[in-house]
Amino acid sequence: AGGIKTRFMFSSKLHGDAVYLDPNRHSALTACELADYAVFKLTNKKLPAPEFNSIRYEWYFSDEEISRAKYILKSVNIAKDNFMAIFPGGGINPGAFDTVRRWKASRFAELIYRIHDKYGFKPLLMGGKSDRQVCEEVARISDVDCVNLSGSYGLRLSAAILKNCQVAVSNDSGPLHIAAAVGAPVVGIFGPTGPKLKLPPGKNVREASIGIPCSPCYFGKFKGCIFDSVKCFEDLTSELVMKSVNSLLETQLLEAK
C-alpha cells in the first residue's frame, strides 16, 4: 500500500524480522529499537541504544499548519492559549476496539467542570471520527459549554491545534503521545494499562491512576477484571485526576517565573 517497498514492524513473538514487543519494557524504548533496527537494515549502521531519560518525543509543523490551527481556534471563539484539550476516546488498536481503556464520559465531564472552574480554560473535545460519539456524550452531559472538533481535521492539523492548549487530558491512546510530542502540558489517564511502561517521557507529563497491584493487566487485549467492575477506573475519580492537573500546571507556573 502507498508504494512502500520495505516494512519494519513489532511482533509479539521473537523472530529475526521484527522487533519484539516486550510488555515489560517501556513503549518508547521499544519504538527506538524499531527505528534503530530500520536504520541498520537500510544503512548497515548500528546506533547506540538510548537511555530512557534521554528520550524526548518531538513533532514539527509547517508555517501553514500553525496558521490554519490559529484560524480554526478563532473560528470557534477559542482564544489561543486559553483552552483545555480533552480526549475522552481512543482505545483502538489495529483489529480491536477496546473501550475498556476509556475513562467514563461522566468523569470527563466532571473533570472539565473542575478545570474550568479553577482556571477558566474553555474545553475543546478532540479525537478521530471513531471518537465522535463519546465526545458528543461528554458535551451533552457537561455543565460547561464544549467545542467538539472530534473527527473534523486530520492528524497533523489536530496536532497543530493541540500545541496551543494550556493542558491536555487523554486516555492512554495515540493523542497522549502526540500531546507530549508537541510540547503541550499533558495528563495521561491510566486504568488497565500502566503509566510505568506507557506514560510518555518528559517533564511536561503527569499520570493519573490509582496504582492498584493488579494493574497493568492489559497487554494487547483485555482478558477481564478480577473485580466485578474495572476497579482501576471505577476508583479513579475526577478529584484524583484534578490533583495531577494541578500538580502539572503549578509546576509550569513556577518554571515560567
Side-chain angles (χ1 to χ4, degrees), residues 60-106:
Y60 297 96
F61 302 98
S62 67
D63 292 339
E64 181 184 359
E65 288 168 340
I66 293 173
S67 295
R68 287 193 64 194
K70 291 178 180 178
Y71 174 80
I72 290 167
L73 289 172
K74 186 177 180 180
S75 70
V76 293
N77 296 317
I78 288 184
K80 179 179 176 290
D81 299 334
N82 190 37
F83 71 97
M84 62 181 105
I86 305 294
F87 294 87
I92 300 175
N93 285 333
F97 186 89
D98 296 316
T99 56
V100 71
R101 291 193 294 157
R102 293 180 176 180
W103 200 39
K104 285 184 177 180
S106 59

Side-chain angles (χ1 to χ4, degrees), residues 154-205:
L155 181 62
R156 291 197 57 83
L157 195 50
S158 295
I161 294 170
L162 180 58
K163 180 177 175 61
N164 294 283
C165 74
Q166 289 294 93
V167 65
V169 182
S170 173
N171 290 318
D172 175 25
S173 59
L176 171 65
H177 301 274
I178 294 172
V182 303
V186 59
V187 173
I189 297 178
F190 290 87
T193 58
K196 183 178 179 181
L197 302 178
K198 296 293 184 180
L199 186 70
K203 65 179 181 180
N204 63 330
V205 181

